[in-house]
Amino acid sequence: MQSSTWRVRSCIRCELASRLTRPRHRHRHHTPPMDTNASAAGEQRITRVLFCGPHFPASHEYTTQYLQSHSFIKVDVLPLEHVPQAIPNYHVCIVKSMKLDSHIISRAARMQLIMQYGVGIEGVDVEAATKHGIKVARIQSHATGNSASCAEMAIYLMLGLLRKQNELQISIQQRKLGEPITETLLGKTIFILGFGNIGMDLAHRLRPFGVKVIATKRSWTSCTQHTSKLIRSNVDDLVDERVNHEDMYKFVRKADIIVCCLRLNSETVYGFIQSFIVHYFRYFLLVFFHFLFHYRYKKSAGIINNDFISSMKKGALLVNIARGGLMDYEAVVKHLESGHLGGLGTDVAWNEPFNPDDQILKFKNVIMTPHVAGVTEHSYRTMAKAVGDVVLQLHAGQPLTGIEIVN
């Protein structure tokens, strides 16, 4: 009996000694993209990809299909409210419409890459991601057909407003023929705000309509870097008048239709304020300019505000295929009610999903689409491939290609 007891105690002491001397594996902030449950017997390492939220479902569906033959890649879709708790388990995050602030990013202990399924990354705290060693990237629109799709949507919204789409439906219900009288694009002046990839594709497609194109861009020298196969023409062949930000207000009043193709970031707000001051208050002191910028940046909803719309030609149309935050909601409603703004065609809203009972939809000269300008079969399949290829590169420890890393 004593011998048996001695053997038990001896085994316990051996086990305790083994545990004390066994090496401890601590997970540092940037571990390789592998499943920590992988056994020493050679179980496959897993790279986990998180898509945030249920909206834009084709993004995660097409990416899952593209990666379905790779068992070492796991793609999940979680409700937005579950992301903060689950994000520590993932190596790649596709934000879509999620707002990733510094608090959420600080929890992403294994995160290697945060991506947008497209261009806009205004919802990501890039500084916080950089602080935690996480790369942030977007997919270039010209490489996927996204910019071409958005350009087509802009033309669709223009034509819908000119041809009075909502009133046409009323005429059908009332069994009227030949009513109402509509307008054509022929001879119109189009002002493109933001001559990036989408703006260039739009200008290219507008040429056959017999319009005059005015465009604004922060740096016109960068136009030569555009690589779209659809656009090989010189910029002078696409744009009749090139405008810098400081001269914006001189040309706004010339346009029959203004199309917003800008990204939503602090630079767009800053650029607008600079142009406003230069045009109206050229002799203000620089110190006051900076004061006004910081004040305006907090108060303004975007560059399409009361001052901007007031400067537009009476009856001119506004089209937005960029971001809802670029428009001041109250200013738009005010000018629709007064009749100064001839119509609004927008693919984006101030709050998404948009409230179908919102007062702005009661105007007959408002056309809204549910953020689908870039949501086409071609663009989403191409973006799914871009995301899938990057995930495979990350898993293999290879350089990341096909995306634009911003930090």
Side-chain angles (χ1 to χ4, degrees):
M1 185 70 176
Q2 291 179 345
S3 175
S4 175
T5 303
W6 179 85
R7 282 195 298 270
V8 170
R9 289 176 178 174
S10 177
C11 289
I12 292 174
R13 284 196 297 270
C14 290
E15 175 63 20
L16 289 173
S18 174
R19 290 186 180 184
L20 289 172
T21 58
R22 190 179 302 158
R24 296 181 180 181
H25 299 281
R26 295 181 180 179
H27 299 293
R28 301 199 174 182
H29 182 69
H30 289 295
T31 56
M34 64 176 66
D35 190 347
T36 54
N37 295 323
S39 67
E43 183 180 343
Q44 283 184 319
R45 294 176 297 163
I46 303 298
T47 294
R48 300 189 181 278
V49 182
L50 171 63
F51 278 78
C52 301
H55 303 300
F56 306 95
S59 62
H60 53 259
E61 292 171 0
Y62 288 1
T63 303
T64 301
Q65 292 174 17
Y66 184 77
L67 292 168
Q68 62 185 350
S69 62
H70 303 282
S71 59
F72 49 85
I73 306 294
K74 300 298 182 185
V75 179
D76 295 324
V77 184
L78 293 180
L80 297 179
E81 62 270 20
H82 294 174
V83 171
Q85 294 299 320
I87 202 167
N89 301 319
Y90 291 89
H91 308 104
V92 180
C93 179
I94 313 299
V95 292
K96 296 197 286 184
S97 56
M98 180 77 183
K99 301 294 183 183
L100 287 190
D101 57 24
S102 58
H103 174 70
I104 297 176
I105 290 174
S106 68
R107 296 179 53 83
R110 302 181 193 174
M111 191 65 60
Q112 305 291 308
L113 177 66
I114 297 172
M115 282 188 65
Q116 178 58 276
Y117 205 85
V119 176
I121 53 173
E122 66 273 4
V124 181
D125 188 331
V126 179
E127 183 178 350
T130 303
K131 178 182 176 181
H132 289 86
I134 304 172
K135 296 295 183 183
V136 180
R138 61 166 64 94
I139 303 174
Q140 287 283 31
S141 60
H142 68 268
T144 61
N146 180 271
S147 61
S149 300
C150 291
E152 291 175 1
M153 178 60 78
I155 294 175
Y156 166 81
L157 292 172
M158 288 184 215
L159 292 174
L161 291 173
L162 290 170
R163 292 290 181 165
K164 302 180 181 179
Q165 176 179 303
N166 293 332
E167 294 183 45
L168 295 179
Q169 299 304 311
I170 295 174
S171 293
I172 290 175
Q173 295 171 7
Q174 296 177 350
R175 304 177 69 85
K176 294 180 179 180
L177 297 177
E179 295 184 31
I181 296 175
T182 63
E183 297 185 55
T184 175
L185 264 176
L186 181 64
K188 294 292 189 292
T189 297
I190 315 296
F191 191 1
I192 302 174
L193 292 179
F195 202 66
N197 293 323
I198 295 175
M200 289 188 219
D201 277 324
L202 175 58
H204 180 77
R205 284 159 175 75
L206 282 173
R207 273 305 175 205
F209 286 94
V211 302
K212 178 181 179 180
V213 175
I214 305 172
T216 180
K217 187 174 179 65
R218 182 169 298 278
S219 173
W220 284 98
T221 58
S222 65
C223 284
T224 57
Q225 300 173 1
H226 184 75
T227 57
S228 172
K229 293 181 179 179
L230 291 175
I231 299 179
R232 297 301 183 190
S233 304
N234 188 286
V235 173
D236 293 334
D237 296 330
L238 299 175
V239 179
D240 296 289
E241 293 187 77
R242 290 188 279 182
V243 181
N244 296 319
H245 283 292
E246 59 266 24
D247 297 321
M248 184 184 300
Y249 276 90
K250 294 179 182 178
F251 293 86
V252 166
R253 59 178 56 93
K254 294 183 178 182
D256 300 297
I257 305 173
I258 294 176
V259 185
C260 188
C261 305
L262 294 166
R263 291 178 182 174
L264 179 59
N265 53 37
S266 59
E267 289 184 359
T268 56
V269 179
Y270 182 88
F272 163 75
I273 296 166
Q274 184 180 24
S275 66
F276 180 82
I277 292 175
V278 170
H279 183 64
Y280 288 106
F281 305 100
R282 291 181 182 274
Y283 305 107
F284 271 32
L285 296 176
L286 183 62
V287 174
F288 184 74
F289 162 72
H290 284 295
F291 167 78
L292 184 60
F293 162 65
H294 290 296
Y295 174 81
R296 191 64 173 266
Y297 180 65
K298 293 178 181 179
K299 296 294 184 180
S300 176
I303 71 168
I304 312 296
N305 60 14
N306 186 69
D307 296 323
F308 186 96
I309 301 174
S310 297
S311 299
M312 292 171 59
K313 180 192 298 185
K314 179 176 174 58
L317 306 176
L318 175 63
V319 171
N320 187 3
I321 52 169
R323 287 291 186 266
L326 291 165
M327 299 186 296
D328 183 327
Y329 175 84
E330 298 298 335
V332 172
V333 172
K334 170 187 172 182
H335 288 283
L336 284 170
E337 289 176 339
S338 70
H340 182 78
L341 183 59
L344 169 69
T346 182
D347 182 56
V348 290
W350 297 266
N351 296 297
E352 295 179 344
F354 197 61
N355 179 7
D357 297 322
D358 193 279
Q359 62 171 333
I360 205 168
L361 294 178
K362 297 176 182 179
F363 293 96
K364 291 187 293 184
N365 55 344
V366 170
I367 300 175
M368 179 173 285
T369 51
H371 206 142
V372 292
V375 183
T376 63
E377 183 74 18
H378 171 71
S379 66
Y380 261 50
R381 289 290 184 188
T382 309
M383 286 190 286
K385 181 180 184 303
V387 172
D389 289 343
V390 166
V391 172
L392 292 173
Q393 291 165 0
L394 187 72
H395 181 87
Q398 299 173 348
L400 306 183
T401 61
I403 56 175
E404 178 189 353
I405 297 176
V406 301
N407 63 345

